[in-house]
Amino acid sequence: MTTQQLTQQIQQKKSFLCIGLDVDVTKIPQHLLELEDPIFEFNKAIIDATHDLCVSYKPNTAFYEAYGLKGWQSLEKTINYINQNHPEIFTIADAKRGDIGNTSSMYAKAFLEDLNFDSVTVAPYMGKDSVEPFLAFENKHTILLALTSNEGAFDFQTKLSGGKELYKTVIETSKTWKNSENLMYVVGATKAEYFTEIRKIVPDSFLLVPGVGAQGGSLQEVCKFGINSNVGLLINSSRGIIYASNGTDFARKAREEALKIKSEMEVILMKNN
Amino acid sequence: MTTQQLTQQIQQKKSFLCIGLDVDVTKIPQHLLELEDPIFEFNKAIIDATHDLCVSYKPNTAFYEAYGLKGWQSLEKTINYINQNHPEIFTIADAKRGDIGNTSSMYAKAFLEDLNFDSVTVAPYMGKDSVEPFLAFENKHTILLALTSNEGAFDFQTKLSGGKELYKTVIETSKTWKNSENLMYVVGATKAEYFTEIRKIVPDSFLLVPGVGAQGGSLQEVCKFGINSNVGLLINSSRGIIYASNGTDFARKAREEALKIKSEMEVILMKNN
C-alpha cells in the first residue's frame, strides 16, 4: 500500500484509528475457547465489527508466538482474512525485529512478502544495515521505534547522545538511509510534549502512536502537537477496544469503543481541514 | 541451566564454542531437500557431528520465521532434539526481542518456558521494563545486545550518551535491574579493542561473541581482552561451520571446522588456567 492510499483511506473513513490485535486467551470470552481456533475467531469477530471505523490493524507478534505453532497459524489466518476481505486496511506486524543485514532480510521477507503485511515495526539499536533490508520492499513500510510509550523509554531513548536525545539522533540518522521514504516512526502517546520536537525533524512522516487509552495518553494532546496536513498519525488502541467486554457481546462492545474514538477523530479531522 | 553448570561444561569439553544454527535452505546440501523437514534434518546432522566440540547451539529465529509454520515447527523439533539428547548444552534463542512489559512477558514465556531454551537475546532500546520480564525466569539467561558485530553498531551504540558510549550506558544501567545476575551480553568479535572497557564494567558476566570467522573477528584477540577466570565467553560461529561443505559430507566437514576452533580454544584455556 502506498502512503497516498493510506491517506485516502483516512479521509474516506474519517478515522486514523489502528486497532491492536493483542489477543490473550485468558482475556477473551469463554465461549470462544470451545472453537478450534479461538484466537482467529476472536480476531475475525473484532474485524467484522470494526473494519469501517479503523484504517489499520496491528497484531503484536508476541501474543501469537506465545502459543507456538498454533499461534503462528492464527496470525497467518488473521492477516489473510484482512487482506482478502478488507484490502484497503493498512496492516502492521508489530514485531520489533532487527538483526544484522542478511538476517534482517529474512525477517523482512517473512513479514512483508510471505505474510504480506503492509508494514513491520523495527528496533533501531543495530543501526543502518539492520533496517535497510526492510526498507527495500516497494510500497511497504518500516515503522522504526523512536520514542516508545513505556517507562523504560527514559532509560536510553531520552538520554543525550551527541548533544541531543537518542530518539532524535535515531530519527535524524534514519532519514539518511536508503529508501527512507518508506519509514514511519513509533512515538508513544504518553509523551505528547515531544511531538513538537519530532515534527521539526519529520514533518511529513506517519507516526504510529501507541499508548492512547489503557496506557493513559490523550488523543487531543497527541493531535494538537502531532497532526500534519496529511494527518500523518495512526493512533493505536488495543485493550480498550478488544477487551471492552468478555461476554458474548464482546464484538458489539468493541465496536462501541472504536466508534467513540472514531467520532472524536472525525471532529479533529474537521477542524484540521 | 545455571552459570556454574555452563562453566563446568566449558572446563570438561575444553571448549567455549557456540554454533549458530542459521539454516538457509538455499545453502544446505541438495539431497536434504527431498526429506520432509530439511531444516531439522540438517540441524540434527550438524548436532550429531559437533555436540562434543561445542557447549552451545544458537538458532537465529529469523531463519525459521522466514519459512512460516513449517519453519516454526523445525525450530521446535531442533530445540527438543537438543534438550532430549544433549541436556548439558546451553541453548540460545537468538531472537533479539523486546517490547513493553506485558508483551515482553509473552516473548519470555514463549522462548524460556514453552520452547525451553536456556536463554534468549534481547534488544535494550526500550529499557528496563522491556527486559526485566525475561530476567524473572530462574536459571534462565537474558543476553542483552550491547555492542553488535555489524557496521550499523557505529550508528548509535558507540555514540556518546551522557559522556560515555551508549553501549556502556546500556551495560551499566542493566546492572541495576532486578535479577541482573541472569544477564549476559552480546559483544561483537569485530570490535576486540572494546573488550577491555567492557570487562571493567562486567568483569564476571558471560559475553556472547558473534563475528568470529565469516565476519572477520579474531578468536585470539577476543580472548586476549575478553576472557576471565571462569572463561566468561561464548564464541559463536555459524556459516564458517555449518556451510563448510554443501555436499553429502557436510556434517563431517562441519565437524572438522568446529574441531579447528575447539583445538584453538583448548590451547587458550590451558594458558588461562
Side-chain angles (χ1 to χ4, degrees), chain A residues 146-162:
Chain A
L147 189 60
T148 56
S149 60
N150 63 324
E151 266 303 299
F154 298 106
D155 283 335
F156 310 119
Q157 297 166 25
T158 56
K159 284 273 193 310
L160 289 183
S161 154

Side-chain angles (χ1 to χ4, degrees), chain A residues 60-62 65-66 69 72 96-99 103 107 114 124-126 128-129 146 150 152 155-157 160-162, chain B residues 60-62 65-66 68-69 72 96-99 103 107 114 124-126 128-129 146 150 152 155-157 160-162:
Chain A
N60 186 309
T61 53
E65 287 186 12
L69 272 181
W72 198 263
K96 299 186 176 72
R97 299 297 196 264
D99 208 308
T103 310
Y107 280 130
D114 298 344
Y125 192 72
M126 295 180 68
K128 174 175 167 163
D129 59 284
N150 63 324
D155 283 335
F156 310 119
Q157 297 166 25
L160 289 183
S161 154
Chain B
N60 186 308
T61 53
E65 288 187 12
L69 271 181
W72 199 263
K96 300 187 177 70
R97 298 298 195 264
D99 208 307
T103 309
Y107 280 130
D114 298 344
Y125 192 72
M126 294 180 70
K128 175 175 167 161
D129 60 285
N150 62 324
D155 283 335
F156 310 120
Q157 298 167 24
L160 289 182
S161 154

Side-chain angles (χ1 to χ4, degrees), chain A residues 156-213:
Chain A
F156 310 119
Q157 297 166 25
T158 56
K159 284 273 193 310
L160 289 183
S161 154
K164 59 181 73 118
E165 291 95 334
L166 177 60
Y167 76 90
K168 288 186 192 170
T169 305
V170 165
I171 299 174
E172 283 179 4
T173 306
S174 72
K175 288 171 69 179
T176 67
W177 297 340
K178 198 175 175 188
N179 300 312
S180 63
E181 68 277 10
N182 294 333
L183 277 168
M184 299 180 175
Y185 301 91
V186 172
V187 181
T190 45
K191 302 174 180 65
E193 68 273 23
Y194 290 92
F195 278 84
T196 312
E197 294 295 301
I198 290 168
R199 277 300 180 209
K200 286 181 193 162
I201 314 172
V202 280
D204 300 324
S205 300
F206 261 90
L207 308 179
L208 170 63
V209 186
V212 164

Side-chain angles (χ1 to χ4, degrees), chain B residues 173-232:
Chain B
T173 306
S174 73
K175 288 171 70 179
T176 67
W177 296 340
K178 197 173 176 189
N179 300 312
S180 63
E181 68 277 11
N182 294 334
L183 277 169
M184 300 180 176
Y185 301 91
V186 172
V187 181
T190 46
K191 300 173 181 65
E193 67 273 23
Y194 291 91
F195 277 85
T196 312
E197 294 295 302
I198 289 168
R199 276 299 180 211
K200 286 182 192 161
I201 314 173
V202 281
D204 301 324
S205 300
F206 261 91
L207 308 179
L208 170 64
V209 185
V212 164
Q215 289 181 60
S218 150
L219 175 62
Q220 297 293 338
E221 285 290 298
V222 167
C223 291
K224 186 173 160 191
F225 301 110
I227 209 162
N228 68 18
S229 59
N230 283 321
V231 184

Side-chain angles (χ1 to χ4, degrees), chain A:
Chain A
M1 182 180 298
T2 64
T3 310
Q4 202 189 359
Q5 286 171 316
L6 172 59
T7 304
Q8 281 169 354
Q9 191 197 164
I10 290 173
Q11 298 298 355
Q12 278 162 11
K13 289 185 175 172
K14 300 182 192 352
S15 169
F16 44 103
L17 175 62
C18 170
I19 298 180
L21 299 174
D22 303 347
V23 187
D24 181 339
V25 292
T26 66
K27 289 184 184 160
I28 68 176
Q30 288 294 304
H31 71 279
L32 293 178
L33 300 181
E34 294 157 19
L35 302 173
E36 201 196 315
D37 187 342
I39 295 178
F40 172 67
E41 297 297 339
F42 179 81
N43 282 343
K44 184 174 172 298
I46 296 284
I47 293 162
D48 288 347
T50 59
H51 64 87
D52 57 320
L53 303 175
C54 67
V55 295
S56 179
Y57 289 110
K58 178 178 77 64
N60 186 309
T61 53
F63 288 80
Y64 299 84
E65 287 186 12
Y67 302 106
L69 272 181
K70 271 185 80 81
W72 198 263
Q73 203 156 25
S74 305
L75 180 64
E76 273 194 13
K77 283 162 74 177
T78 300
I79 180 66
N80 289 342
Y81 185 78
I82 300 170
N83 282 339
Q84 279 160 23
N85 296 283
H86 307 290
E88 81 285 3
I89 294 272
F90 182 76
T91 52
I92 303 170
D94 194 1
K96 299 186 176 72
R97 299 297 196 264
D99 208 308
I100 62 172
N102 65 333
T103 310
S104 265
S105 298
M106 306 294 276
Y107 280 130
K109 182 181 170 294
F111 290 110
L112 300 177
E113 200 173 280
D114 298 344
L115 289 174
N116 200 16
F117 277 92
D118 291 309
S119 66
V120 59
T121 58
V122 172
Y125 192 72
M126 295 180 68
K128 174 175 167 163
D129 59 284
S130 72
V131 181
E132 283 189 342
F134 292 95
L135 294 171
F137 288 75
E138 210 178 344
N139 295 332
K140 299 283 183 174
H141 305 266
T142 303
I143 312 181
L144 197 65
L145 300 186
L147 189 60
T148 56
S149 60
N150 63 324
E151 266 303 299
F154 298 106
D155 283 335
F156 310 119
Q157 297 166 25
T158 56
K159 284 273 193 310
L160 289 183
S161 154
K164 59 181 73 118
E165 291 95 334
L166 177 60
Y167 76 90
K168 288 186 192 170
T169 305
V170 165
I171 299 174
E172 283 179 4
T173 306
S174 72
K175 288 171 69 179
T176 67
W177 297 340
K178 198 175 175 188
N179 300 312
S180 63
E181 68 277 10
N182 294 333
L183 277 168
M184 299 180 175
Y185 301 91
V186 172
V187 181
T190 45
K191 302 174 180 65
E193 68 273 23
Y194 290 92
F195 278 84
T196 312
E197 294 295 301
I198 290 168
R199 277 300 180 209
K200 286 181 193 162
I201 314 172
V202 280
D204 300 324
S205 300
F206 261 90
L207 308 179
L208 170 63
V209 186
V212 164
Q215 290 182 59
S218 150
L219 176 61
Q220 298 293 338
E221 286 290 299
V222 168
C223 291
K224 188 173 158 190
F225 300 111
I227 210 163
N228 67 18
S229 58
N230 283 322
V231 184
L233 294 173
L234 290 171
I235 306 282
N236 183 74
S237 176
S238 302
R239 287 169 276 173
I241 292 175
I242 68 174
Y243 300 134
S245 158
N246 68 355
T248 51
D249 64 345
F250 74 99
R252 190 169 55 79
K253 289 289 184 188
R255 181 174 175 82
E256 278 176 25
E257 290 305 314
L259 187 58
K260 277 185 208 166
I261 302 177
K262 189 263 176 186
S263 303
E264 212 181 325
M265 287 177 169
E266 193 168 342
V267 174
I268 291 168
L269 290 177
M270 280 170 61
K271 287 184 188 160
N272 196 51
N273 273 332

